[in-house]
Amino acid sequence: MTELLVGTKKGLFTLRGGDSSFEISARAFAGEPVEFAMRDRRSGRYFACVTSAFYGPKIFVTDDLAGEWQQAEGLALPEGEEKALIRLWTVVPGIEDDHLLAGGDPGVLFESRDGGMTWELNRPFWEQPTRPQWGPGAGGMCLHSIATWPDDPGKLAMGISAVGVWLSDDAGQTWRHGNKGLVPRYIPEDAREDTIDLCVHNMHRAPSQPERLFMQFHGGVYRSDDAGESWIDIGTDTGLPSDFGFPLVVDPGDADSAYVIPLVADLDRVTPDGRVRVCETRDAGASWTERGDGLPAEDAYLTILRQAFDRDGSGEGMGLYFGATSGDVFGSGDAGATWLTAATKLPPVHSVRVA
Amino acid sequence: MPVVKLRAPLTELTGGKRELQLDGATVRDVLQALENEHPAIAGWILDERTTIRQHINVFVNGERGREDTTLTPEDRIHVLPSISGG
């Protein structure tokens, strides 16, 4: 039995199912935008990032999906600042027990040391001297990707739209850029050098070879083999129908693998040719193969957002799941070889995570 | 003292209380007093800048109020979600 947490524009839906079908087993936060939801497998605790249009961004937690959700504390910017917290984009389990990290807009990192009930702002990152020059992407200044390093809580990589990649070797006490090789085609050539206006859309580390990361950029797909210090273009002339898109998944058992869902381009953020395809590489980005058997193949102009793609397991039996703003959710139990429709007619899907 | 009137879901954060008498010279003062009395509501009406959230409306005796609107002990403050969208 697979349990999917689907954050939507109108609440959190829990889908349960398996090889042939899924059904909605629960709904929470009815009417509220749920940007992201996940389950910390260490504790079994569920987390939901909810951004009420009226009452602002919160993280709610529960140990029982059938029970009450409780608001986590401490998710606010320092009083007296010009900015307020706008949205929470991700929650990621840390390496140490009870440690979690959360990313939000405006480009902020929070940490919890008690399993997610209370949070504190990461001050060194908040106080970056270049922060006044940072600019948001179309979705805001979202810190959406946090890549931990297996067995080493000191090493972190983060991706922000549109402030590039940030790296730390001391558990977030100091930060530096990791942008070498990224090419922002949306900036004039003579203005690209040393710019930090870098729109990372999604970034994941390959846990079996942690110095390797994959990135979906705002026009471009990249790989890093040096822990995010520099990046290699793997989206040009490698068989992708487009190098624009949002989400990305890696196979934790195979550091040469990654999956992306191409969209046409930044000015036309839908699946190319009216056809939904997941593209797989098993050679670290040297080539990509389309994996779409069972996905809509005609008249399908879907948009898949950055947190709306996840996986379960690894290898040929890896589960892949993604949702679209059309309200459709798709799943594969064989690493994308074949697909089924897990749900239709949900509200626009913001996020999908395997519980 | 001014009276603050709330609706759901905010009343879930005040133990079900829909009307609260709270001391303060301005709307901000009263809303901060509300947060002090019911910490669970902190961040729901005022953000961390102590600014009323964009899509919350505050009315003082039926007139649109702001954070710095001054109050008298007889004033009644309604806190409502705005009518947003089409």
Side-chain angles (χ1 to χ4, degrees):
Chain A
M1 178 72 72
T2 299
E3 184 176 73
L4 301 179
L5 303 173
V6 182
T8 79
K9 190 177 180 180
K10 299 292 180 185
L12 171 64
F13 291 81
T14 305
L15 306 182
R16 287 197 176 129
D19 293 340
S20 59
S21 66
F22 281 77
E23 62 182 30
I24 297 170
S25 61
R27 185 186 180 204
F29 309 106
E32 299 285 9
V34 176
E35 309 294 349
F36 185 81
M38 57 80 76
R39 176 172 170 267
D40 185 346
R41 294 183 183 183
R42 302 171 302 177
S43 63
R45 181 168 287 166
Y46 295 86
F47 295 78
C49 302
V50 183
T51 308
S52 164
F54 306 109
Y55 306 114
K58 322 281 184 215
I59 289 180
F60 292 92
V61 300
T62 186
D63 294 328
D64 177 5
L65 278 179
E68 295 288 316
W69 290 79
Q70 185 176 349
Q71 183 182 333
E73 298 179 2
L75 291 150
L77 301 187
E79 291 183 10
E81 298 283 352
E82 293 181 1
K83 294 181 176 179
L85 184 64
I86 296 170
R87 190 172 301 178
L88 290 152
W89 278 90
T90 191
V91 177
V92 174
I95 299 304
E96 297 174 304
D97 290 346
D98 294 329
H99 184 222
L100 292 104
L101 305 107
D105 181 350
V108 290
L109 174 68
F110 291 92
E111 294 182 80
S112 172
R113 298 281 177 185
D114 64 358
M117 297 307 299
T118 62
W119 296 80
E120 283 189 21
L121 182 69
N122 180 289
R123 284 279 186 168
F125 195 65
W126 171 249
E127 293 166 357
Q128 283 298 308
T130 58
R131 180 173 283 274
Q133 286 82 53
W134 294 5
M141 195 191 295
C142 41
L143 198 171
H144 47 69
S145 295
I146 303 171
T148 58
W149 187 293
D151 302 323
D152 187 344
K155 292 182 178 175
L156 294 168
M158 305 194 302
I160 305 178
S161 174
V163 204
V165 175
W166 291 82
L167 307 171
S168 176
D169 294 323
D170 54 11
Q173 295 309 299
T174 60
W175 295 93
R176 66 183 187 281
H177 294 292
N179 298 326
K180 187 178 178 184
L182 299 176
V183 180
R185 300 196 299 253
Y186 49 85
I187 291 176
E189 283 189 40
D190 57 3
R192 290 177 187 170
E193 190 173 353
D194 297 328
T195 184
I196 60 169
D197 296 333
L198 296 165
C199 194
V200 180
H201 281 189
N202 210 326
M203 184 180 73
H204 285 274
R205 191 186 303 280
S208 62
Q209 187 178 322
E211 64 276 14
R212 172 165 288 174
L213 296 108
F214 290 91
M215 178 199 293
Q216 173 68 66
F217 194 64
H218 183 109
V221 181
Y222 292 90
R223 187 189 82 228
S224 173
D225 292 336
D226 56 7
E229 300 285 353
S230 64
W231 296 88
I232 302 160
D233 177 6
I234 57 170
T236 304
D237 299 328
T238 51
L240 285 173
S242 163
D243 66 359
F244 188 90
F246 287 99
L248 183 147
V249 161
V250 300
D251 181 341
D254 177 5
D256 288 340
S257 82
Y259 295 80
V260 295
I261 307 177
L263 306 181
V264 175
D266 54 356
L267 297 179
D268 188 16
R269 301 175 180 203
V270 299
T271 44
D273 310 314
R275 190 152 61 91
V276 182
R277 284 161 285 184
V278 172
C279 291
E280 174 199 65
T281 180
R282 287 282 178 183
D283 54 13
S287 64
W288 296 86
T289 305
E290 294 183 3
R291 308 279 263 174
D293 184 10
L295 293 174
E298 57 184 16
D299 300 332
Y301 297 89
L302 272 55
T303 302
I304 298 93
L305 300 178
R306 75 177 87 244
Q307 304 292 31
F309 189 19
D310 197 19
R311 57 107 203 132
D312 189 26
S314 67
E316 293 184 358
M318 183 169 63
L320 292 172
Y321 304 92
F322 69 92
T325 57
S326 60
D328 299 305
V329 178
F330 304 98
S332 169
D334 52 14
T338 59
W339 293 85
L340 63 82
T341 300
T344 62
K345 302 183 182 66
L346 294 181
V349 173
H350 293 161
S351 71
V352 174
R353 284 296 180 272
V354 180
Chain B
M1 283 192 286
V3 172
V4 175
K5 302 187 76 168
L6 303 172
R7 293 184 181 183
L10 297 177
T11 50
E12 297 169 14
L13 304 167
T14 60
K17 291 182 181 176
R18 300 173 61 88
E19 290 193 13
L20 300 96
Q21 283 196 321
L22 295 158
D23 200 9
T26 65
V27 165
R28 178 182 280 113
D29 291 344
V30 164
L31 293 176
Q32 289 182 315
L34 173 64
E35 292 182 352
N36 290 336
E37 193 166 304
H38 296 281
I41 209 167
W44 286 68
I45 303 170
L46 296 173
D47 66 20
E48 50 268 67
R49 298 167 297 185
T50 67
T51 300
I52 296 170
R53 290 196 176 279
Q54 183 180 3
H55 296 294
I56 295 282
N57 287 333
V58 171
F59 293 88
V60 178
N61 305 325
E63 299 285 334
R64 186 70 65 89
R66 304 188 322 175
E67 299 87 351
D68 55 359
T69 300
T70 55
L71 301 174
T72 67
E74 294 76 30
D75 284 338
R76 302 176 73 80
I77 300 110
H78 283 79
V79 179
L80 301 167
S82 64
I83 300 171
S84 303

